[in-house]
């Protein structure tokens, strides 16, 4: 029998939270889904799209009576949210999230929630550059990986229920230590976003300061669009991800800068063989990535 909740509260009904709400309602995995958020128009859209049954502005009202609360707001808000309403939850309730950073964030969340309430960290790797519930879909998580990050404090039954929920959503569920999660995602997700944001800013500066005739929209082909697609992602969300995974991200930027410098020096020295060797290695790694990885960002 599929996992079932009496009442689910989704804090932040955007792309991820809204898509999860659609799944909960359309697969009848919850009797009632309540949305909590700041923007009334977005919440009205969520009701119209079938992502939630109703919405409230007061988080304490929204979570009261919930046996599952999903944090789908920027990760920097988690602590504030939990301090505001965690005491309203009944023993046995589960708090989970969809954030791209775990590590310290999971530890702090576990420390804040009251005894008898269970926190289970989750990260569905199924985002896209579009945000808001209007971009949501009950197919968003199908075939995507979802990483759960239990600790020694995680309740096994709560972990199992969250695992079943994401499996019902169509995800491939993996379990991972929260800090290892941040090391790995820092490399395969956070650093690529750094590169995309930085590349767009570099190109804008080239246009504004060096090549006035450079029309980024008119002159670019698929290569630029493919390389920088994720630079259209939410600045608010990614600001918080970079800061919460700061040590890993800074270390990886240093590594990326060294790789750029190495290629720069080979080009400067007109070292054709050296350049080709670097590019061949990169192509080989990219070919392996294409053959084994799902298409979610």
């Amino acid at each position: 029998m599929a996992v079932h909740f009496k009442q689910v509260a989704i804090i932040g009904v955007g792309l991820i939270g809204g898509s999860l709400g659609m799944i909960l309602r359309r697969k009848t995995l919850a009797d009632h889904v309540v949305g909590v958020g700041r923007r009334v128009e977005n919440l009205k859209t969520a009701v119209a799209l079938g992502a939630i049954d109703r919405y409230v502005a007061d988080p304490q009202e929204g979570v009261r009576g919930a046996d599952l609360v999903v944090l789908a707001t920027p990760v920097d808000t988690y602590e504030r949210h939990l301090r505001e309403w965690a005491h309203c939850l009944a023993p046995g309730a589960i708090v989970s999230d969809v954030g791209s950073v775990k590590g310290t964030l999971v530890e702090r969340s576990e420390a804040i929630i009251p005894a008898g309430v269970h926190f289970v960290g989750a990260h569905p790797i199924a985002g896209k550059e579009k945000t808001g519930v209007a971009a949501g879909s009950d197919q968003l998580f199908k075939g995507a990986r979802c990483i759960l990050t239990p600790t020694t404090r995680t309740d096994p039954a709560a972990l199992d229920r969250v695992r079943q929920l994401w499996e019902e959503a169509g995800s491939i569920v993996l379990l991972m230590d929260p800090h290892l999660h941040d090391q790995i995602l820092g490399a395969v997700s956070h650093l690529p976003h750094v590169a995309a944001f930085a590349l767009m800013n570099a190109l804008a500066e080239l246009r504004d300061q060096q090549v006035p005739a450079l029309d980024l929209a008119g002159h670019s082909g698929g290569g630029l669009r493919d390389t920088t697609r994720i630079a259209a992602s939410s600045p608010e969300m990614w600001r918080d991800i970079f800061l919460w995974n700061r040590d890993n991200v800074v270390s990886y930027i240093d590594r990326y800068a060294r790789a750029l410098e190495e290629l720069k020096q080979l080009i400067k020295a007109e070292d054709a063989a050296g350049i080709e060797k670097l590019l061949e290695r990169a192509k080989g790694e990219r070919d392996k990535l294409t053959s084994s990885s799902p298409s979610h960002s």
Side-chain angles (χ1 to χ4, degrees):
M1 188 173 176
V3 65
H4 187 269
F5 298 93
K6 292 180 180 178
Q7 180 174 309
V8 177
I10 299 175
I11 315 291
V13 192
L15 171 68
I16 303 295
S19 297
L20 184 59
M22 292 175 189
I23 292 164
L24 286 163
R25 295 189 71 247
R26 292 175 192 176
K27 298 193 75 171
T28 61
L29 302 177
D31 292 337
H32 200 72
V33 180
V34 182
V36 181
R38 298 173 299 178
R39 294 168 45 230
V40 173
E41 285 305 313
N42 183 70
L43 292 167
K44 287 180 177 178
T45 301
V47 172
L49 292 174
I52 55 176
D53 292 293
R54 65 182 178 92
Y55 62 86
V56 296
D58 180 2
Q60 292 191 14
E61 179 186 349
V63 305
R64 196 167 278 115
D67 48 349
L68 173 65
V69 180
V70 179
L71 275 164
T73 56
V75 293
D76 195 54
T77 68
Y78 284 13
E79 203 165 345
R80 172 176 61 80
H81 273 295
L82 290 171
R83 291 190 186 283
E84 183 178 357
W85 48 254
H87 65 278
C88 298
L89 298 173
I94 300 169
V95 178
S96 192
D97 76 312
V98 297
S100 297
V101 181
K102 290 293 173 270
T104 304
L105 189 144
V106 169
E107 293 172 354
R108 291 194 187 183
S109 298
E110 289 179 331
I112 293 170
I113 59 172
V117 175
H118 311 299
F119 185 85
V120 180
H123 177 201
I125 307 175
K128 52 185 178 180
E129 67 275 16
K130 293 182 180 179
T131 59
V133 69
S137 165
D138 59 5
Q139 300 298 306
L140 182 66
F141 309 112
K142 193 171 183 179
R145 293 181 175 88
C146 181
I147 301 174
L148 304 186
T149 55
T151 71
T152 55
R153 297 179 62 173
T154 304
D155 178 75
L159 175 64
D160 190 57
R161 296 190 78 196
V162 174
R163 178 185 60 78
Q164 289 181 61
L165 169 61
W166 285 107
E167 287 176 347
E168 285 291 328
S171 294
I172 301 162
V173 178
L174 309 173
L175 301 185
M176 191 178 291
D177 173 83
H179 292 282
L180 178 60
H181 167 280
D182 287 358
Q183 291 177 339
I184 292 173
L185 270 294
V188 301
S189 176
H190 306 171
L191 181 60
H193 278 80
V194 166
F197 285 125
L199 179 55
M200 285 308 306
N201 284 331
L203 290 171
E205 288 188 15
L206 276 175
R207 177 198 61 207
D208 296 342
Q209 300 175 15
Q210 197 169 338
V211 189
L214 177 59
D215 177 357
L216 293 179
H219 295 154
S220 63
L224 179 61
R225 287 180 172 84
D226 290 346
T227 305
T228 61
R229 175 184 61 83
I230 53 178
S233 301
S234 165
E236 180 186 26
M237 180 179 79
W238 280 97
R239 172 201 67 199
D240 292 348
I241 291 170
F242 293 158
L243 291 175
W244 274 89
N245 200 21
R246 180 180 64 250
D247 290 347
N248 287 319
V249 170
V250 168
S251 172
Y252 297 167
I253 289 173
D254 286 341
R255 165 52 61 191
Y256 184 49
R258 289 196 293 273
L260 284 173
E261 181 64 25
E262 183 180 7
L263 182 56
K264 172 186 164 183
Q265 292 302 326
L266 290 171
I267 294 170
K268 189 175 180 180
E270 300 183 22
D271 184 346
I275 294 169
E276 185 173 1
K277 184 178 178 181
L278 271 190
L279 302 188
E280 285 287 354
R281 181 187 179 195
K283 183 182 184 307
E285 293 294 333
R286 183 62 175 82
D287 288 344
K288 287 189 284 187
L289 179 65
T290 306
S291 64
S292 63
S293 193
S295 59
H296 297 84
S297 58

